[in-house]
């Protein structure tokens, strides 16, 4: 199975820390800030997920959504969630007070991966 979103070890460690501190978490990436390069971490219910969002998968056991318009720009890539030291997380993202910022990197899917994704639906 081809994963549409994955996370680095550093990001997974931060997700685990935040989950221990806050409980259940979710991620959303929209095109509204940072040129779409910021994956924001929220408590469930802090942001409404609906028909305008696409579920990409889970990172660290937490669901990850992206806005439909943003997904259209990124659908040919695998999103790789990383973490950076220093401020930069969204104003409401849970990692900000920890002096960290989630950051999205990407890599283009291979032709074989794109075919597999088409079969996955």
């Amino acid at each position: 199975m081809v994963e549409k979103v994955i996370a680095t070890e550093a990001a997974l460690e931060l997700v685990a820390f935040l989950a221990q501190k806050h409980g259940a978490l979710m991620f959303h990436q929209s095109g509204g800030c940072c040129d779409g390069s910021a994956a924001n971490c929220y408590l469930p219910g802090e942001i409404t997920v609906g028909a305008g969002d696409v579920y990409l998968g889970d990172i660290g056991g937490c669901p990850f959504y992206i806005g439909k318009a943003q997904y259209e720009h990124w659908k040919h890539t695998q999103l790789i969630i990383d973490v950076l030291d220093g401020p930069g997380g969204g104003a409401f993202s849970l990692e900000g007070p920890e002096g960290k910022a989630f950051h999205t990197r990407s890599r283009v899917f291979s032709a074989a991966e794109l075919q597999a994704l088409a079969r996955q639906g």
Side-chain angles (χ1 to χ4, degrees):
M1 181 170 149
V2 178
E3 294 180 275
K4 294 181 181 180
V5 62
I6 61 172
T8 65
E9 252 334 285
L12 290 173
E13 288 173 12
L14 182 56
V15 170
F17 171 81
L18 293 171
Q20 183 178 18
K21 184 174 180 179
H22 298 285
L25 306 171
M26 64 172 286
F27 286 85
H28 190 275
Q29 182 161 326
S30 70
C33 76
C34 311
D35 295 325
S37 64
N40 290 298
C41 182
Y42 300 101
L43 297 173
E46 284 188 320
I47 184 171
T48 302
V49 176
D53 298 297
V54 176
Y55 169 73
L56 293 185
D58 290 355
I59 57 169
C62 305
F64 191 102
Y65 300 88
I66 188 169
K68 261 188 189 177
Q70 191 70 358
Y71 177 70
E72 286 303 312
H73 294 287
W74 292 64
K75 67 183 176 184
H76 65 286
T77 67
Q78 181 179 59
L79 301 187
I80 304 161
I81 307 308
D82 201 358
V83 64
L84 305 172
D85 289 325
F92 303 105
S93 195
L94 291 174
E95 80 281 3
E98 308 302 329
K100 304 284 184 183
F102 286 110
H103 182 75
T104 303
R105 302 180 195 287
S106 66
R107 71 166 186 85
V108 176
F109 286 122
S110 69
E113 288 172 317
L114 288 171
Q115 289 175 352
L117 284 168
R119 288 190 301 273
Q120 283 175 219

